[in-house]
Amino acid sequence: MGLFERYLSVWVGLAIVVGVLLGNQLPEQFALIASLEYAKVNLVIALLIWVMIYPMMVQIDFTAVKNVGKRPKGLLLTLVINWLIKPFTMAFLGWLFFKVFFATWVDPQTASEYIAGMILLGVAPCTAMVFVWSQLTKGDPNYTLVQVSVNDLIMVVAFAPICAFLLGVSDIQVPWETLLLSVLLYVVLPLIAGVLTRQLLNRHGDSQRLNAFVGQIKPWSMMGLLATVVLLFGLQAETILAQPQNIVLIAIPLLIQTYGIFFIAYFAAQKLKVEHAVAAPACMIATSNFFELAVAVAISLFGLHSGAALATVVGVLVEVPVMLSLVAFVNWRRSRYQHTIANNG
């Protein structure tokens, strides 16, 4: 990795501080940005995420996507973790901490809302940011695309029933516009743009031209990530500063869930002997959350100032630093991981 990517955690830390400071000093401007949304999807954040993942979409070679079926273990791993394990461990940890460990510190109604917000995070696997984590861990971009696409298709069908079951409500209202528009903005449109760009640059088999273009636009991916972090933390600055103790309480089970799910996925991948370029993105998809959808559903079900909305916001706060730490772990363990799967049969 280059110098910028090597110290990305430092830049993200600075972006978090800058975001909170700006959000605290310029609340009206951030309120204006927050109002620029359609179907509960913030258009500015959507644009920044688009800038973030377009360079990765250009690198996807569709002629290689058809070979993904020859390596089904990575796809099976992410599906089992995302849909059969993660939602239920999140619900259990929410109950354990807010109904048992923190019961004397949080009133029952607020505790139930915190649990609800955690569940919404747990049932929404990552769609956009995972392309960043995949690139940082040198993941196979073609396989990552298939993993994300299959999870998105399942999410359209399974999100509402699993949420309804775990939340204990039969009339849950999922903002379908938010779900479908998010997939369109974060996956479909940048993918189409990436494919067209690749075809245009590589139409004469001139891979040198394509590689030069990728090298030029690659830094924009990290700039998009940092700008997104500044904006997200700026939008939530008031909440962060007003309720620091509650944020810490919510963050504890979220951190346990995030690291726990990652290591379950990581050691399962190692046991299944999934190659590193596939295993790394699979673990990242299993670990991270589609926080845009979770926040939107929490607000529509429980209200903007509810405990559920706050819990999903804390999910945003926790995700970027934690995922960067896991990226560092995966990269540090790469050679040992490959050696382990090569020598286990």
Side-chain angles (χ1 to χ4, degrees), residues 81-160:
I81 296 291
N82 273 320
W83 300 107
L84 299 181
I85 297 176
K86 183 179 176 181
F88 304 97
T89 56
M90 184 74 93
F92 171 73
L93 285 173
W95 171 84
L96 181 65
F97 277 85
F98 287 106
K99 293 297 185 180
V100 181
F101 296 156
F102 299 156
T104 57
W105 297 344
V106 181
D107 67 86
Q109 177 62 34
T110 303
S112 296
E113 291 185 0
Y114 288 166
I115 295 169
M118 290 178 60
I119 289 171
L120 292 173
L121 283 170
V123 187
C126 187
T127 290
M129 296 286 280
V130 72
F131 291 106
V132 177
W133 315 135
S134 178
Q135 176 177 281
L136 291 174
T137 56
K138 295 184 172 64
D140 183 331
N142 307 308
Y143 207 105
T144 301
L145 172 66
V146 173
Q147 289 172 310
V148 169
S149 300
V150 172
N151 270 296
D152 284 345
L153 290 173
I154 293 175
M155 184 160 53
V156 170
V157 177
F159 181 83

Side-chain angles (χ1 to χ4, degrees), residues 58-313:
V58 177
Q59 299 174 58
I60 293 174
D61 180 6
F62 262 86
T63 60
V65 168
K66 64 180 184 294
N67 297 322
V68 167
K70 299 176 182 177
R71 299 175 292 170
K73 290 181 181 179
L75 184 58
L76 179 63
L77 174 68
T78 187
L79 293 180
V80 169
I81 296 291
N82 273 320
W83 300 107
L84 299 181
I85 297 176
K86 183 179 176 181
F88 304 97
T89 56
M90 184 74 93
F92 171 73
L93 285 173
W95 171 84
L96 181 65
F97 277 85
F98 287 106
K99 293 297 185 180
V100 181
F101 296 156
F102 299 156
T104 57
W105 297 344
V106 181
D107 67 86
Q109 177 62 34
T110 303
S112 296
E113 291 185 0
Y114 288 166
I115 295 169
M118 290 178 60
I119 289 171
L120 292 173
L121 283 170
V123 187
C126 187
T127 290
M129 296 286 280
V130 72
F131 291 106
V132 177
W133 315 135
S134 178
Q135 176 177 281
L136 291 174
T137 56
K138 295 184 172 64
D140 183 331
N142 307 308
Y143 207 105
T144 301
L145 172 66
V146 173
Q147 289 172 310
V148 169
S149 300
V150 172
N151 270 296
D152 284 345
L153 290 173
I154 293 175
M155 184 160 53
V156 170
V157 177
F159 181 83
I162 295 177
C163 283
F165 173 73
L166 291 175
L167 293 174
V169 291
S170 58
D171 59 345
I172 183 172
Q173 298 296 313
V174 176
W176 295 108
E177 280 187 330
T178 302
L179 175 57
L180 298 176
L181 181 62
S182 296
V183 172
L184 177 67
L185 288 174
Y186 302 149
V187 179
V188 177
L189 287 181
L191 177 60
I192 292 173
V195 170
L196 293 177
T197 303
R198 190 179 181 90
Q199 288 181 342
L200 182 66
L201 293 175
N202 203 29
R203 57 185 169 180
H204 301 303
D206 187 3
S207 59
Q208 205 167 23
R209 187 181 175 194
L210 174 63
N211 293 336
F213 178 75
V214 169
Q216 289 174 348
I217 64 172
K218 199 173 180 181
W220 284 98
S221 180
M222 296 301 103
M223 296 304 293
L225 172 62
L226 294 179
T228 302
V229 171
V230 170
L231 184 54
L232 287 173
F233 279 78
L235 291 171
Q236 302 300 336
E238 185 179 344
T239 301
I240 295 168
L241 296 174
Q243 303 185 56
Q245 70 285 352
N246 289 1
I247 287 172
V248 171
L249 293 181
I250 296 168
I252 291 171
L254 285 180
L255 286 169
I256 294 172
Q257 162 78 5
T258 305
Y259 283 113
I261 285 294
F262 171 82
F263 284 108
I264 290 172
Y266 185 83
F267 289 111
Q270 190 170 273
K271 201 75 174 174
L272 292 169
K273 290 187 265 190
V274 179
E275 62 185 279
H276 193 272
V278 171
C283 295
M284 296 300 167
I285 295 171
T287 305
S288 53
N289 305 304
F290 190 176
F291 54 78
E292 300 92 341
L293 177 63
V295 171
V297 176
I299 291 172
S300 65
L301 282 178
F302 300 97
L304 180 61
H305 301 292
S306 65
L310 178 62
T312 57
V313 167

